[in-house]
PDB file of all heavy atoms in Angstrom:
ATOM      1  N   TYR A  68      36.013  10.680 -10.805  1.00  0.00           N
ATOM      2  CA  TYR A  68      34.776   9.932 -10.390  1.00  0.00           C
ATOM      3  C   TYR A  68      33.856  10.990  -9.807  1.00  0.00           C
ATOM      4  O   TYR A  68      32.624  10.910 -10.139  1.00  0.00           O
ATOM      5  CB  TYR A  68      34.949   8.776  -9.458  1.00  0.00           C
ATOM      6  CG  TYR A  68      33.796   7.904  -9.383  1.00  0.00           C
ATOM      7  CD1 TYR A  68      33.723   6.837 -10.300  1.00  0.00           C
ATOM      8  CD2 TYR A  68      32.737   8.050  -8.489  1.00  0.00           C
ATOM      9  CE1 TYR A  68      32.663   6.013 -10.450  1.00  0.00           C
ATOM     10  CE2 TYR A  68      31.636   7.224  -8.589  1.00  0.00           C
ATOM     11  CZ  TYR A  68      31.610   6.224  -9.498  1.00  0.00           C
ATOM     12  OH  TYR A  68      30.457   5.474  -9.532  1.00  0.00           O
ATOM     13  N   ILE A  71      32.289  12.772 -12.589  1.00  0.00           N
ATOM     14  CA  ILE A  71      31.309  11.947 -13.354  1.00  0.00           C
ATOM     15  C   ILE A  71      29.981  11.935 -12.571  1.00  0.00           C
ATOM     16  O   ILE A  71      28.910  12.073 -13.149  1.00  0.00           O
ATOM     17  CB  ILE A  71      31.774  10.541 -13.543  1.00  0.00           C
ATOM     18  CG1 ILE A  71      32.895  10.484 -14.504  1.00  0.00           C
ATOM     19  CG2 ILE A  71      30.654   9.555 -14.018  1.00  0.00           C
ATOM     20  CD1 ILE A  71      33.602   9.094 -14.718  1.00  0.00           C
ATOM     21  N   SER A  75      26.582  13.416 -13.902  1.00  0.00           N
ATOM     22  CA  SER A  75      25.469  12.506 -14.052  1.00  0.00           C
ATOM     23  C   SER A  75      24.275  13.085 -13.278  1.00  0.00           C
ATOM     24  O   SER A  75      23.097  12.977 -13.824  1.00  0.00           O
ATOM     25  CB  SER A  75      25.796  11.135 -13.378  1.00  0.00           C
ATOM     26  OG  SER A  75      26.881  10.573 -13.985  1.00  0.00           O
ATOM     27  N   SER A  78      22.847  15.793 -15.435  1.00  0.00           N
ATOM     28  CA  SER A  78      22.195  15.181 -16.622  1.00  0.00           C
ATOM     29  C   SER A  78      20.957  14.624 -16.237  1.00  0.00           C
ATOM     30  O   SER A  78      19.918  14.610 -16.962  1.00  0.00           O
ATOM     31  CB  SER A  78      23.084  14.161 -17.182  1.00  0.00           C
ATOM     32  OG  SER A  78      22.480  13.060 -17.692  1.00  0.00           O
ATOM     33  N   LEU A  79      20.790  13.920 -15.084  1.00  0.00           N
ATOM     34  CA  LEU A  79      19.619  13.202 -14.650  1.00  0.00           C
ATOM     35  C   LEU A  79      18.472  14.228 -14.309  1.00  0.00           C
ATOM     36  O   LEU A  79      17.308  13.975 -14.660  1.00  0.00           O
ATOM     37  CB  LEU A  79      19.932  12.394 -13.457  1.00  0.00           C
ATOM     38  CG  LEU A  79      19.116  11.080 -13.305  1.00  0.00           C
ATOM     39  CD1 LEU A  79      19.230  10.217 -14.544  1.00  0.00           C
ATOM     40  CD2 LEU A  79      19.625  10.313 -12.089  1.00  0.00           C
ATOM     41  N   ASP A  87      25.902  14.634 -19.849  1.00  0.00           N
ATOM     42  CA  ASP A  87      26.175  13.209 -19.926  1.00  0.00           C
ATOM     43  C   ASP A  87      27.273  13.028 -21.020  1.00  0.00           C
ATOM     44  O   ASP A  87      28.028  11.983 -20.778  1.00  0.00           O
ATOM     45  CB  ASP A  87      24.832  12.448 -20.337  1.00  0.00           C
ATOM     46  CG  ASP A  87      24.093  12.984 -21.577  1.00  0.00           C
ATOM     47  OD1 ASP A  87      24.823  13.783 -22.357  1.00  0.00           O
ATOM     48  OD2 ASP A  87      22.961  12.697 -21.841  1.00  0.00           O
ATOM     49  N   ALA A  90      30.269  13.400 -18.802  1.00  0.00           N
ATOM     50  CA  ALA A  90      30.402  12.222 -17.848  1.00  0.00           C
ATOM     51  C   ALA A  90      31.004  11.075 -18.613  1.00  0.00           C
ATOM     52  O   ALA A  90      31.944  10.375 -18.146  1.00  0.00           O
ATOM     53  CB  ALA A  90      29.088  11.870 -17.218  1.00  0.00           C
ATOM     54  N   LYS A  91      30.427  10.782 -19.829  1.00  0.00           N
ATOM     55  CA  LYS A  91      30.966   9.636 -20.639  1.00  0.00           C
ATOM     56  C   LYS A  91      32.381   9.887 -21.024  1.00  0.00           C
ATOM     57  O   LYS A  91      33.177   8.952 -21.002  1.00  0.00           O
ATOM     58  CB  LYS A  91      30.082   9.560 -21.879  1.00  0.00           C
ATOM     59  CG  LYS A  91      30.428   8.374 -22.752  1.00  0.00           C
ATOM     60  CD  LYS A  91      29.662   8.425 -24.089  1.00  0.00           C
ATOM     61  CE  LYS A  91      30.036   7.249 -24.942  1.00  0.00           C
ATOM     62  NZ  LYS A  91      29.459   7.342 -26.364  1.00  0.00           N
ATOM     63  N   GLY A 138      32.611  -0.813 -14.862  1.00  0.00           N
ATOM     64  CA  GLY A 138      31.121  -1.114 -14.804  1.00  0.00           C
ATOM     65  C   GLY A 138      30.431   0.088 -15.538  1.00  0.00           C
ATOM     66  O   GLY A 138      29.518  -0.151 -16.425  1.00  0.00           O
ATOM     67  N   TYR A 139      30.838   1.218 -15.209  1.00  0.00           N
ATOM     68  CA  TYR A 139      30.191   2.401 -15.812  1.00  0.00           C
ATOM     69  C   TYR A 139      30.436   2.508 -17.263  1.00  0.00           C
ATOM     70  O   TYR A 139      29.452   2.758 -18.047  1.00  0.00           O
ATOM     71  CB  TYR A 139      30.902   3.689 -15.120  1.00  0.00           C
ATOM     72  CG  TYR A 139      30.311   5.017 -15.704  1.00  0.00           C
ATOM     73  CD1 TYR A 139      29.099   5.438 -15.225  1.00  0.00           C
ATOM     74  CD2 TYR A 139      31.010   5.769 -16.580  1.00  0.00           C
ATOM     75  CE1 TYR A 139      28.563   6.724 -15.736  1.00  0.00           C
ATOM     76  CE2 TYR A 139      30.502   6.923 -17.119  1.00  0.00           C
ATOM     77  CZ  TYR A 139      29.340   7.434 -16.658  1.00  0.00           C
ATOM     78  OH  TYR A 139      28.800   8.591 -17.172  1.00  0.00           O
ATOM     79  N   MET A 140      31.700   2.187 -17.744  1.00  0.00           N
ATOM     80  CA  MET A 140      31.924   2.270 -19.207  1.00  0.00           C
ATOM     81  C   MET A 140      31.140   1.137 -19.881  1.00  0.00           C
ATOM     82  O   MET A 140      30.549   1.280 -21.011  1.00  0.00           O
ATOM     83  CB  MET A 140      33.376   2.199 -19.502  1.00  0.00           C
ATOM     84  CG  MET A 140      34.132   3.409 -19.032  1.00  0.00           C
ATOM     85  SD  MET A 140      35.795   3.548 -19.678  1.00  0.00           S
ATOM     86  CE  MET A 140      36.647   2.306 -18.653  1.00  0.00           C
ATOM     87  N   ALA A 141      31.096  -0.039 -19.267  1.00  0.00           N
ATOM     88  CA  ALA A 141      30.361  -1.187 -19.848  1.00  0.00           C
ATOM     89  C   ALA A 141      28.905  -0.861 -19.954  1.00  0.00           C
ATOM     90  O   ALA A 141      28.170  -1.229 -20.966  1.00  0.00           O
ATOM     91  CB  ALA A 141      30.536  -2.448 -18.981  1.00  0.00           C
ATOM     92  N   MET A 142      28.292  -0.139 -18.948  1.00  0.00           N
ATOM     93  CA  MET A 142      26.914   0.321 -19.083  1.00  0.00           C
ATOM     94  C   MET A 142      26.672   1.157 -20.264  1.00  0.00           C
ATOM     95  O   MET A 142      25.653   0.916 -20.996  1.00  0.00           O
ATOM     96  CB  MET A 142      26.589   1.122 -17.734  1.00  0.00           C
ATOM     97  CG  MET A 142      25.129   1.398 -17.539  1.00  0.00           C
ATOM     98  SD  MET A 142      24.212  -0.072 -16.842  1.00  0.00           S
ATOM     99  CE  MET A 142      23.060  -0.373 -18.106  1.00  0.00           C
ATOM    100  N   TRP A 143      27.542   2.057 -20.483  1.00  0.00           N
ATOM    101  CA  TRP A 143      27.389   2.986 -21.646  1.00  0.00           C
ATOM    102  C   TRP A 143      27.466   2.085 -22.989  1.00  0.00           C
ATOM    103  O   TRP A 143      26.655   2.367 -23.951  1.00  0.00           O
ATOM    104  CB  TRP A 143      28.520   3.940 -21.740  1.00  0.00           C
ATOM    105  CG  TRP A 143      28.182   5.295 -21.152  1.00  0.00           C
ATOM    106  CD1 TRP A 143      28.701   5.841 -19.993  1.00  0.00           C
ATOM    107  CD2 TRP A 143      27.475   6.349 -21.855  1.00  0.00           C
ATOM    108  NE1 TRP A 143      28.189   7.035 -19.805  1.00  0.00           N
ATOM    109  CE2 TRP A 143      27.454   7.428 -20.877  1.00  0.00           C
ATOM    110  CE3 TRP A 143      26.715   6.464 -23.042  1.00  0.00           C
ATOM    111  CZ2 TRP A 143      26.729   8.560 -21.132  1.00  0.00           C
ATOM    112  CZ3 TRP A 143      26.083   7.664 -23.238  1.00  0.00           C
ATOM    113  CH2 TRP A 143      26.088   8.697 -22.308  1.00  0.00           C
ATOM    114  N   ALA A 144      28.356   1.091 -22.884  1.00  0.00           N
ATOM    115  CA  ALA A 144      28.517   0.357 -24.243  1.00  0.00           C
ATOM    116  C   ALA A 144      27.341  -0.650 -24.395  1.00  0.00           C
ATOM    117  O   ALA A 144      27.060  -0.984 -25.545  1.00  0.00           O
ATOM    118  CB  ALA A 144      29.863  -0.439 -24.114  1.00  0.00           C
ATOM    119  N   ILE A 146      23.987  -0.382 -23.881  1.00  0.00           N
ATOM    120  CA  ILE A 146      22.716   0.037 -24.456  1.00  0.00           C
ATOM    121  C   ILE A 146      22.851   0.906 -25.655  1.00  0.00           C
ATOM    122  O   ILE A 146      23.725   1.829 -25.706  1.00  0.00           O
ATOM    123  CB  ILE A 146      21.964   0.918 -23.326  1.00  0.00           C
ATOM    124  CG1 ILE A 146      21.869   0.095 -21.987  1.00  0.00           C
ATOM    125  CG2 ILE A 146      20.651   1.374 -23.853  1.00  0.00           C
ATOM    126  CD1 ILE A 146      21.121   0.849 -20.952  1.00  0.00           C
ATOM    127  N   THR A 150      20.142   8.025 -25.480  1.00  0.00           N
ATOM    128  CA  THR A 150      19.471   8.767 -24.351  1.00  0.00           C
ATOM    129  C   THR A 150      19.292   7.689 -23.197  1.00  0.00           C
ATOM    130  O   THR A 150      19.569   8.133 -22.002  1.00  0.00           O
ATOM    131  CB  THR A 150      18.127   9.261 -24.727  1.00  0.00           C
ATOM    132  OG1 THR A 150      17.967   9.192 -26.146  1.00  0.00           O
ATOM    133  CG2 THR A 150      17.874  10.620 -24.274  1.00  0.00           C
ATOM    134  N   ARG A 151      18.935   6.540 -23.547  1.00  0.00           N
ATOM    135  CA  ARG A 151      18.691   5.508 -22.462  1.00  0.00           C
ATOM    136  C   ARG A 151      20.007   5.197 -21.841  1.00  0.00           C
ATOM    137  O   ARG A 151      20.173   5.048 -20.586  1.00  0.00           O
ATOM    138  CB  ARG A 151      18.182   4.200 -23.094  1.00  0.00           C
ATOM    139  CG  ARG A 151      16.738   4.116 -23.000  1.00  0.00           C
ATOM    140  CD  ARG A 151      16.278   2.814 -23.538  1.00  0.00           C
ATOM    141  NE  ARG A 151      14.858   2.807 -23.863  1.00  0.00           N
ATOM    142  CZ  ARG A 151      14.281   1.816 -24.461  1.00  0.00           C
ATOM    143  NH1 ARG A 151      14.974   0.692 -24.774  1.00  0.00           N
ATOM    144  NH2 ARG A 151      13.068   1.915 -24.746  1.00  0.00           N
ATOM    145  N   ALA A 152      21.104   4.981 -22.691  1.00  0.00           N
ATOM    146  CA  ALA A 152      22.418   4.687 -22.158  1.00  0.00           C
ATOM    147  C   ALA A 152      22.867   5.752 -21.191  1.00  0.00           C
ATOM    148  O   ALA A 152      23.413   5.531 -20.052  1.00  0.00           O
ATOM    149  CB  ALA A 152      23.400   4.469 -23.288  1.00  0.00           C
ATOM    150  N   ALA A 153      22.626   7.031 -21.570  1.00  0.00           N
ATOM    151  CA  ALA A 153      23.027   8.125 -20.727  1.00  0.00           C
ATOM    152  C   ALA A 153      22.372   7.998 -19.378  1.00  0.00           C
ATOM    153  O   ALA A 153      22.984   8.198 -18.268  1.00  0.00           O
ATOM    154  CB  ALA A 153      22.751   9.483 -21.453  1.00  0.00           C
ATOM    155  N   ARG A 154      21.056   7.815 -19.353  1.00  0.00           N
ATOM    156  CA  ARG A 154      20.360   7.854 -18.045  1.00  0.00           C
ATOM    157  C   ARG A 154      20.653   6.584 -17.244  1.00  0.00           C
ATOM    158  O   ARG A 154      20.899   6.655 -16.055  1.00  0.00           O
ATOM    159  CB  ARG A 154      18.847   7.851 -18.309  1.00  0.00           C
ATOM    160  CG  ARG A 154      18.355   9.235 -18.819  1.00  0.00           C
ATOM    161  CD  ARG A 154      16.927   9.268 -18.991  1.00  0.00           C
ATOM    162  NE  ARG A 154      16.129   9.350 -17.737  1.00  0.00           N
ATOM    163  CZ  ARG A 154      16.018  10.363 -16.938  1.00  0.00           C
ATOM    164  NH1 ARG A 154      16.687  11.497 -17.220  1.00  0.00           N
ATOM    165  NH2 ARG A 154      15.275  10.357 -15.872  1.00  0.00           N
ATOM    166  N   ALA A 155      20.829   5.425 -17.858  1.00  0.00           N
ATOM    167  CA  ALA A 155      21.218   4.245 -17.104  1.00  0.00           C
ATOM    168  C   ALA A 155      22.571   4.499 -16.456  1.00  0.00           C
ATOM    169  O   ALA A 155      22.856   4.133 -15.334  1.00  0.00           O
ATOM    170  CB  ALA A 155      21.254   2.976 -17.987  1.00  0.00           C
ATOM    171  N   ALA A 156      23.550   4.969 -17.334  1.00  0.00           N
ATOM    172  CA  ALA A 156      24.894   5.177 -16.796  1.00  0.00           C
ATOM    173  C   ALA A 156      24.890   6.252 -15.626  1.00  0.00           C
ATOM    174  O   ALA A 156      25.600   6.038 -14.652  1.00  0.00           O
ATOM    175  CB  ALA A 156      25.826   5.685 -17.935  1.00  0.00           C
ATOM    176  N   ALA A 157      24.019   7.268 -15.743  1.00  0.00           N
ATOM    177  CA  ALA A 157      23.988   8.281 -14.801  1.00  0.00           C
ATOM    178  C   ALA A 157      23.417   7.693 -13.415  1.00  0.00           C
ATOM    179  O   ALA A 157      24.016   7.994 -12.345  1.00  0.00           O
ATOM    180  CB  ALA A 157      23.044   9.488 -15.184  1.00  0.00           C
ATOM    181  N   ILE A 158      22.424   6.867 -13.498  1.00  0.00           N
ATOM    182  CA  ILE A 158      21.976   6.142 -12.267  1.00  0.00           C
ATOM    183  C   ILE A 158      23.053   5.393 -11.642  1.00  0.00           C
ATOM    184  O   ILE A 158      23.203   5.427 -10.390  1.00  0.00           O
ATOM    185  CB  ILE A 158      20.682   5.317 -12.638  1.00  0.00           C
ATOM    186  CG1 ILE A 158      19.496   6.230 -13.134  1.00  0.00           C
ATOM    187  CG2 ILE A 158      20.204   4.580 -11.343  1.00  0.00           C
ATOM    188  CD1 ILE A 158      18.382   5.399 -13.784  1.00  0.00           C
ATOM    189  N   LEU A 159      23.661   4.571 -12.496  1.00  0.00           N
ATOM    190  CA  LEU A 159      24.810   3.765 -11.948  1.00  0.00           C
ATOM    191  C   LEU A 159      25.877   4.592 -11.255  1.00  0.00           C
ATOM    192  O   LEU A 159      26.328   4.287 -10.200  1.00  0.00           O
ATOM    193  CB  LEU A 159      25.383   2.924 -13.087  1.00  0.00           C
ATOM    194  CG  LEU A 159      26.526   2.039 -12.668  1.00  0.00           C
ATOM    195  CD1 LEU A 159      25.985   0.895 -11.809  1.00  0.00           C
ATOM    196  CD2 LEU A 159      27.225   1.421 -13.960  1.00  0.00           C
ATOM    197  N   ALA A 160      26.292   5.704 -12.017  1.00  0.00           N
ATOM    198  CA  ALA A 160      27.360   6.592 -11.371  1.00  0.00           C
ATOM    199  C   ALA A 160      26.887   7.066 -10.018  1.00  0.00           C
ATOM    200  O   ALA A 160      27.714   7.110  -9.083  1.00  0.00           O
ATOM    201  CB  ALA A 160      27.644   7.694 -12.337  1.00  0.00           C
ATOM    202  N   LEU A 161      25.633   7.471  -9.899  1.00  0.00           N
ATOM    203  CA  LEU A 161      25.220   8.035  -8.607  1.00  0.00           C
ATOM    204  C   LEU A 161      25.097   7.000  -7.527  1.00  0.00           C
ATOM    205  O   LEU A 161      25.553   7.181  -6.366  1.00  0.00           O
ATOM    206  CB  LEU A 161      23.829   8.690  -8.745  1.00  0.00           C
ATOM    207  CG  LEU A 161      23.912  10.043  -9.546  1.00  0.00           C
ATOM    208  CD1 LEU A 161      22.550  10.647  -9.697  1.00  0.00           C
ATOM    209  CD2 LEU A 161      24.833  11.064  -8.811  1.00  0.00           C
ATOM    210  N   VAL A 162      24.598   5.780  -7.941  1.00  0.00           N
ATOM    211  CA  VAL A 162      24.619   4.668  -6.956  1.00  0.00           C
ATOM    212  C   VAL A 162      26.061   4.351  -6.418  1.00  0.00           C
ATOM    213  O   VAL A 162      26.297   4.154  -5.283  1.00  0.00           O
ATOM    214  CB  VAL A 162      23.876   3.410  -7.474  1.00  0.00           C
ATOM    215  CG1 VAL A 162      24.118   2.172  -6.654  1.00  0.00           C
ATOM    216  CG2 VAL A 162      22.399   3.637  -7.661  1.00  0.00           C
ATOM    217  N   GLY A 163      26.909   4.353  -7.402  1.00  0.00           N
ATOM    218  CA  GLY A 163      28.357   4.134  -7.142  1.00  0.00           C
ATOM    219  C   GLY A 163      28.938   5.151  -6.235  1.00  0.00           C
ATOM    220  O   GLY A 163      29.661   4.867  -5.269  1.00  0.00           O
TER     221      GLY A 163
ATOM    222  N   LEU B 175      18.769  -1.926 -13.879  1.00  0.00           N
ATOM    223  CA  LEU B 175      19.601  -1.241 -14.895  1.00  0.00           C
ATOM    224  C   LEU B 175      19.804  -2.070 -16.138  1.00  0.00           C
ATOM    225  O   LEU B 175      19.970  -1.567 -17.195  1.00  0.00           O
ATOM    226  CB  LEU B 175      20.967  -0.836 -14.286  1.00  0.00           C
ATOM    227  CG  LEU B 175      20.953   0.535 -13.549  1.00  0.00           C
ATOM    228  CD1 LEU B 175      22.298   0.644 -12.831  1.00  0.00           C
ATOM    229  CD2 LEU B 175      20.723   1.668 -14.522  1.00  0.00           C
ATOM    230  N   LEU B 238      13.346   3.476 -17.804  1.00  0.00           N
ATOM    231  CA  LEU B 238      14.006   3.592 -19.139  1.00  0.00           C
ATOM    232  C   LEU B 238      13.576   2.471 -20.013  1.00  0.00           C
ATOM    233  O   LEU B 238      13.493   2.706 -21.297  1.00  0.00           O
ATOM    234  CB  LEU B 238      15.491   3.299 -18.906  1.00  0.00           C
ATOM    235  CG  LEU B 238      16.324   4.344 -18.155  1.00  0.00           C
ATOM    236  CD1 LEU B 238      17.758   3.811 -17.954  1.00  0.00           C
ATOM    237  CD2 LEU B 238      16.364   5.634 -18.930  1.00  0.00           C
TER     238      LEU B 238
END
Side-chain angles (χ1 to χ4, degrees):
Chain A
Y68 198 86
I71 292 173
S75 299
S78 140
L79 210 55
D87 54 16
K91 183 189 182 187
Y139 178 81
M140 291 193 285
M142 189 82 243
W143 265 104
I146 304 181
T150 350
R151 266 187 200 173
R154 287 181 74 74
I158 296 166
L159 179 66
L161 287 178
V162 170
Chain B
L175 273 172
L238 294 172

